[in-house]
């Protein structure tokens, strides 16, 4: 489906009565912890969504990479429908036929031994922290209660109390203390600072290969390789949070692949559920995940049959390699087009594959201003940290629609 009807004059008008009513209903009864754009989606297909008034928009956020393979992907819907007719939940009190094939395939995709299936990305991060600490005490020999995990400035790993404990974003931390101890922050991209922060009590280094929420920040060339060398030398686990950057988004199965790095632990989520159900996972070798024993960790919904069936089909798609190749090829076109906007309302463009952070010149306006203007032209994008627009269209986006995105961005900026 391409964007031949993008220029609908009604888009620039005030929200319709139907849109206003739907938004008012949410605002009246849902907590105000989000500030969404004024659009109400009722259906979607591929890279396109339709609002309550029948107007179509090109989705260039893909639910923060959760919809990497497109809305309503036929293969993923077929897998979900088939499992819905069998069994959706047993809890891990019993075995289910769907779980084994999923964890076996995901472990093989990541080149690891074992998988801990969970639900949300934040749960994967929390689980990774628990595993790293238990490994530090039981395997490395860190004194009880002294394990430390090194994290990065500008990090975003989720919203739980423990995770925001090591955030440096005031919006994420204000009025949520007291916080969980045991974390040491260092500048992202500074391998020397990381090395200096390691002590005998360091259990792990936790990082995003590309910092998404911070504005799609890409570290200096060679940084991840140096981090890998340092952590191996110091006997410290390297935990890569690939929840946004992984599973095809950056033109590889994992962004770590693009850097020639294999971490000790992968944290996965978002696209692992194909935009159908929440699915996340901690993936590592047995010498790390083997520290978990019955009763030491769990989740009622983690590894449920429906999630496992969808997750298995996601893994099968990634094993074919077509999605990664498409993200590489279309990503090159996206970044070439965006680079031409630097100096024309844009001060910088960063990213990899079909993922980009575009810094808007404050003289032009805020990033939200730009997103609202894009919305009027039928393009859905989202701002972060005031001046950065994030783009992460579904990997299945048509080339013509990608060109439409670049063209409309240029028009919005008057470039």
């Amino acid at each position: 489906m391409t964007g031949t009807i993008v220029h609908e004059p009604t888009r620039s008008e005030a929200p319709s009565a139907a849109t206003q009513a739907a938004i008012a209903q949410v605002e009246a009864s849902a907590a105000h912890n989000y500030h969404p754009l004024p659009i109400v989606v009722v259906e979607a297909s591929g890279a396109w969504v339709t609002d309550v008034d029948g107007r179509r928009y090109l989705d260039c956020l893909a639910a923060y990479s959760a919809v990497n393979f497109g809305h309503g992907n036929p293969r993923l819907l077929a897998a979900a429908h088939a499992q819905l007719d069998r069994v959706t939940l047993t809890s891990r009190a019993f075995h289910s036929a769907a779980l084994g094939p999923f964890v076996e395939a995901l472990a093989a995709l990541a080149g690891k031994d074992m998988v801990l299936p969970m639900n949300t990305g934040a749960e994967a991060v929390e689980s990774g922290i628990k595993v790293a600490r238990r490994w530090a005490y039981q395997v490395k020999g860190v004194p009880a209660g002294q394990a430390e995990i090194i994290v990065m400035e500008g990090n975003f790993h989720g919203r739980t109390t423990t995770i925001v404990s090591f955030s440096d974003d005031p919006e994420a931390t204000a009025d949520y203390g007291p916080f969980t101890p045991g974390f040491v922050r260092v500048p992202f991209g500074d391998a020397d600072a990381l090395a200096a922060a390691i002590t005998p009590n360091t259990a792990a280094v936790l990082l995003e290969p590309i910092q998404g929420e911070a504005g799609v920040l890409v570290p200096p060339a060679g940084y991840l390789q140096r981090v890998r060398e340092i952590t191996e030398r110091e006997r410290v686990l390297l935990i890569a949070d690939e929840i946004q950057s992984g599973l095809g988004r950056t033109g590889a199965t994992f962004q770590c692949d693009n850097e020639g790095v294999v971490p000790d632990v992968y944290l996965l989520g978002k696209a692992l559920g194909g935009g159908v159900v929440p699915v996340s996972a901690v993936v590592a070798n047995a010498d790390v995940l083997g520290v978990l024993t019955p009763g030491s960790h769990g989740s009622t919904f983690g590894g449920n049959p429906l999630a496992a069936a969808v997750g298995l089909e996601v893994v099968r798609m990634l094993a074919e390699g077509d999605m990664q190749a498409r993200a590489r090829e279309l990503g090159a076109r996206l970044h070439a087009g965006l680079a031409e906007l630097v100096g024309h309302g844009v001060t910088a463009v960063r990213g990899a594959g079909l993922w980009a952070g575009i810094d808007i010149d404050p003289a032009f306006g805020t990033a939200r201003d730009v997103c609202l203007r894009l919305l009027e032209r039928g393009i859905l994008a989202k701002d972060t940290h005031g001046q950065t627009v994030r783009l992460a269209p579904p990997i299945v986006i048509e080339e013509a629609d990608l060109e439409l995105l670049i063209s409309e961005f240029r028009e919005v900026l008057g470039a």
Side-chain angles (χ1 to χ4, degrees):
M1 300 175 70
T2 59
T4 56
I5 62 169
V6 152
H7 295 290
E8 295 176 0
T10 52
R11 281 209 182 91
S12 60
E13 297 174 358
S16 71
T19 294
Q20 292 183 58
I23 292 174
Q25 186 177 35
V26 173
E27 292 297 300
S29 300
H32 298 165
N33 57 321
Y34 277 92
H35 187 202
L37 297 178
I39 173 178
V40 180
V41 176
V42 293
E43 60 183 22
S45 178
W48 289 84
V49 305
T50 304
D51 75 359
V52 291
D53 298 307
R55 297 172 296 196
R56 296 174 59 238
Y57 298 79
L58 183 61
D59 179 3
C60 295
L61 188 63
Y64 304 101
S65 291
V67 190
N68 276 3
F69 315 115
H71 295 280
N73 184 286
R75 289 178 60 172
L76 300 181
L77 290 185
H81 286 150
Q83 191 62 45
L84 280 168
D85 290 333
R86 298 186 183 110
V87 58
T88 57
L89 180 64
T90 62
S91 86
R92 294 295 301 281
F94 315 111
H95 290 283
S96 76
L99 181 57
F102 168 54
V103 293
E104 180 182 65
L106 181 55
L109 183 74
K112 299 293 185 182
D113 299 334
M114 303 179 78
V115 172
L116 171 63
M118 300 298 290
N119 306 287
T120 67
E123 286 179 273
V125 175
E126 287 271 6
S127 300
I129 289 168
K130 290 178 69 175
V131 167
R133 287 176 169 175
R134 181 168 267 222
W135 175 88
Y137 300 131
Q138 295 189 354
V139 179
K140 187 175 180 179
V142 172
Q146 300 301 308
E148 295 178 340
I149 295 176
I150 296 175
V151 297
M152 304 299 124
E153 293 177 358
N155 73 77
F156 180 84
H157 298 281
R159 300 285 190 179
T160 66
T161 304
T162 289
I163 292 172
V164 300
S165 294
F166 53 85
S167 171
D168 55 6
D169 181 355
E171 284 195 8
T173 59
D175 299 326
Y176 290 131
F179 294 117
T180 307
F183 301 97
V184 177
R185 268 199 315 268
V186 300
F188 182 58
D190 188 339
D192 291 334
L194 185 150
I198 292 177
T199 74
N201 291 340
T202 303
V205 171
L206 169 62
L207 56 75
E208 303 154 85
I210 293 177
Q211 290 190 330
E213 184 72 16
V216 195
L217 302 184
V218 181
Y223 168 71
L224 288 181
Q225 293 175 341
R226 281 207 61 201
V227 172
R228 177 70 284 190
E229 293 166 2
I230 293 165
T231 52
E232 286 183 334
R233 182 179 71 232
E234 300 294 339
R235 201 185 178 204
V236 169
L237 297 179
L238 175 55
I239 305 175
D241 179 343
E242 294 258 19
I243 292 167
Q244 280 198 66
S245 61
L247 308 182
R249 170 57 54 191
T250 64
T253 302
F254 308 109
Q255 171 59 15
C256 283
D257 294 342
N258 285 330
E259 299 296 326
V261 166
V262 179
D264 297 291
V265 180
Y266 291 103
L267 305 180
L268 306 176
K270 293 193 185 295
L272 193 57
V276 180
V277 287
V279 185
S280 67
V282 180
V283 188
N285 282 332
D287 59 347
V288 176
L289 272 178
V291 300
L292 295 181
T293 52
S296 63
H297 189 61
S299 166
T300 298
F301 280 85
N304 69 78
L306 179 59
V310 174
L312 174 60
E313 194 61 28
V314 166
V315 172
R316 285 172 172 165
M317 291 168 65
L318 289 167
E320 294 165 2
D322 295 338
M323 289 293 173
Q324 297 91 318
R326 186 175 183 83
R328 284 195 303 273
E329 294 163 7
L330 293 182
R333 177 66 195 100
L334 173 65
H335 284 276
L338 293 175
E340 296 174 357
L341 302 179
V342 175
H344 302 279
V346 169
T347 59
V349 176
R350 299 171 301 277
L354 279 173
W355 200 18
I358 304 103
D359 290 343
I360 304 301
D361 187 337
F364 184 85
T366 67
R368 187 173 177 87
D369 292 335
V370 171
C371 289
L372 287 170
R373 294 175 193 176
L374 286 169
L375 177 69
E376 292 177 357
R377 305 184 72 88
I379 304 293
L380 300 183
K382 198 65 173 70
D383 56 291
T384 186
H385 293 282
Q387 292 305 129
T388 302
V389 174
R390 286 173 292 183
L391 296 178
I395 298 171
V396 299
I397 187 172
E398 297 290 344
E399 186 172 355
D401 292 336
L402 188 69
E403 295 293 342
L404 177 69
L405 162 61
I406 297 168
S407 173
E408 294 296 348
F409 211 117
R410 184 181 297 112
E411 288 292 325
V412 161
L413 296 172

